[in-house]
Amino acid sequence: MNVVLVGCGAMSRQWLDAARQIDGLAIVGLVDLDAERAKARAREYDLASAVIGTSLDAVLDQTRPDAVFDVVVPAARREVAFSAFAHNCHLLTEKPLADSPENARAIIEAARRAERIHAVVQNRRYVANVRRIRRFLDSGAIGAATSIHADFFVAPHFGGFREEMAHVLLLDMAIHTFDAARYMAAGEPSSVYCQEWEPANSWYRQGSSASAVIDFGSGKVFTYAGSWCADGFRTSWEGSWRIVAERGSLIWDGHDGLKAEVVASGRDGLIDKTQPIDVPPLDPADRIGGHLGIIRDFMHAIETGNEPETRGADNIKSLAMVFGAIESAETGRRVAITAQDEK
Ligand SMILES: NC(=O)c1ccc[n+]([C@@H]2O[C@H](COP(=O)([O-])OP(=O)(O)OC[C@H]3O[C@@H](n4cnc5c(N)ncnc54)[C@H](O)[C@@H]3O)[C@@H](O)[C@H]2O)c1
């Protein structure tokens, strides 16, 4: 499979590290508005024969690849997607799928019309403990989940586009946590209330801290508390989780610490006794591996014609949680999350 990668900034390394582990995948072009960045990546990854350019259209005309890997900033997502589909390419795109609901719908519609595979690197789903939690909850070992709580507190100094963009935590990071919550609890998001604020010490323009309550249907509620400028006691990039179910609870620190307790017989005073219960190990059928796992699934989808797990038409349901939260934060009102059913 011949691929052109567009957007040779920080994240492109992760993609190129993964791509070089895959037999049968050739990077035939590297594009960036800043040609020096594309040239630097070509040198770093021994891609001497790759066509280098600053215009995606021009490099696609010249190389005629099967697919485009989109690693540009969110604001450029739509123009990249339209260029890829116009050149009859499949498209694997970094998160978030788009920077607005209109652009998300337009990109998905363009993929449908072009009959091309379109998938999103929602890589926090391709994490072993996320897969284990989903299977454990599905097994009914602690009953159905009722309350899903995630904390995300990290204080990175990225520089660049994040410090200038609006709704930075919700749009650039919470999409990972929201998607993981929707996946682990098999949630069907229906409404959201959210507040954003800017702590006095924030180095972001807008929206570095947010708290959201999202209704997941079937009696399930997801709460999110997050900040991108909270120094001290940082959480993992996956967040820190407590999932309460009908007959027990599960706690995951976002690293290796995953444990659960189930209700046992008898009471200690006012409180039902509980006992530890094992969360089974990863099932061999569960797909993991972050960017590498997603790129492999994307290629497999192209080869077989099956839709990949993180296809845009499904990922837009997680993005709808983000845009609902943004609208709620802007209006101060609870917002209905519009069903984005796959057609
Ligand atoms: N999946 C993850 O875990 C993860 C982690 C970090 C970043 N990301 C995402 O990756 C994407 C890129 O982030 P980054 O940190 O590499 O940003 P970055 O600013 O370091 O790099 C983006 C690059 O895209 C280029 N670019 C912008 N518009 C372009 C266009 N129209 N045509 C060609 N090139 C263009 C810029 O010149 C820049 O070199 C973002 O969407 C970000 O949210 C994902």
Side-chain angles (χ1 to χ4, degrees):
M1 191 169 96
N2 288 343
V3 175
V4 167
L5 182 145
V6 54
C8 296
M11 207 52 207
S12 63
R13 280 211 176 94
Q14 205 128 332
W15 286 67
L16 293 168
D17 285 340
R20 69 175 163 193
Q21 296 177 54
I22 300 179
D23 289 336
L25 190 164
I27 301 291
V28 296
L30 288 166
V31 180
D32 199 290
L33 295 178
D34 177 348
E36 287 311 311
R37 288 190 181 185
K39 285 182 195 157
R41 287 289 180 266
R43 282 193 299 274
E44 221 173 306
Y45 286 86
D46 289 332
L47 297 169
S49 58
V51 174
I52 306 290
T54 55
S55 154
L56 179 60
D57 279 333
V59 173
L60 294 181
D61 281 339
Q62 201 178 330
T63 55
R64 308 221 157 265
D66 304 294
V68 169
F69 285 174
D70 160 12
V71 202
V72 298
V73 294
R77 198 73 81 223
R78 180 185 169 128
E79 109 187 42
V80 163
F82 275 57
S83 167
F85 298 139
H87 287 83
N88 212 32
C89 293
H90 302 285
L91 176 65
L92 182 61
T93 211
E94 257 303 347
K95 45 57 60 171
L97 185 164
D99 61 347
S100 71
E102 300 72 37
N103 284 344
R105 284 192 291 270
I107 291 170
I108 286 168
E109 186 49 33
R112 193 175 287 140
R113 259 186 282 121
E115 298 182 352
R116 298 289 85 184
I117 302 278
H118 168 232
V120 181
V121 172
Q122 205 68 73
N123 48 312
R124 314 255 158 206
R125 206 181 253 232
Y126 279 59
V127 164
N129 282 337
V130 170
R131 300 294 194 190
R132 289 173 67 203
I133 291 171
R134 168 66 188 254
R135 275 193 189 274
F136 181 67
L137 292 175
D138 279 356
S139 77
I142 56 172
T146 62
S147 321
I148 301 99
H149 305 287
D151 283 342
F152 178 88
F153 294 99
V154 186
H157 290 269
F158 292 110
F161 71 91
R162 291 180 186 80
E163 291 180 13
E164 298 306 320
M165 71 188 273
H167 310 291
V168 60
L169 180 70
L170 289 172
L171 192 54
D172 195 60
M173 188 64 213
I175 179 64
H176 281 307
T177 321
F178 287 10
D179 182 72
R182 181 171 79 86
Y183 171 72
M184 290 192 288
E188 293 286 341
S190 59
S191 69
V192 51
Y193 179 78
C194 181
Q195 185 166 340
E196 282 180 315
W197 67 101
E198 224 40 63
N201 64 299
S202 171
W203 49 93
Y204 298 86
R205 181 167 77 77
Q206 198 267 323
S208 68
S209 301
S211 215
V213 180
I214 303 182
D215 202 314
F216 264 1
S218 313
K220 292 176 211 165
V221 172
F222 167 50
T223 74
Y224 170 86
S227 176
W228 241 355
C229 58
D231 285 307
F233 300 113
R234 61 158 293 190
T235 62
S236 115
W237 285 102
E238 316 306 332
S240 164
W241 298 76
R242 174 185 289 258
I243 299 181
V244 184
E246 291 162 324
R247 285 183 286 103
S249 289
L250 170 158
I251 287 177
W252 178 37
D253 66 2
H255 300 287
D256 294 334
L258 171 56
K259 53 190 180 182
E261 286 186 344
V262 65
V263 173
S265 58
R267 281 199 178 159
D268 268 337
L270 297 175
I271 296 170
D272 283 339
K273 287 186 179 168
T274 55
Q275 63 189 37
I277 176 172
D278 280 341
V279 179
L282 186 72
D283 189 287
D286 284 337
R287 298 186 315 285
I288 55 170
H291 279 72
L292 178 59
I294 293 190
I295 293 174
R296 284 214 162 102
D297 277 1
F298 174 70
M299 288 180 69
H300 184 71
I302 293 170
E303 284 156 11
T304 60
N306 294 324
E307 286 288 341
E309 175 176 343
T310 59
R311 57 196 173 278
D314 180 73
N315 188 264
I316 195 170
K317 296 177 189 170
S318 295
L319 200 62
M321 295 164 70
V322 169
F323 290 128
I326 288 172
E327 187 183 334
S328 173
E330 283 179 341
T331 60
R333 287 199 300 271
R334 173 166 286 280
V335 166
I337 297 176
T338 329
Q340 301 277 359
D341 289 337
E342 292 184 58
K343 291 184 186 136

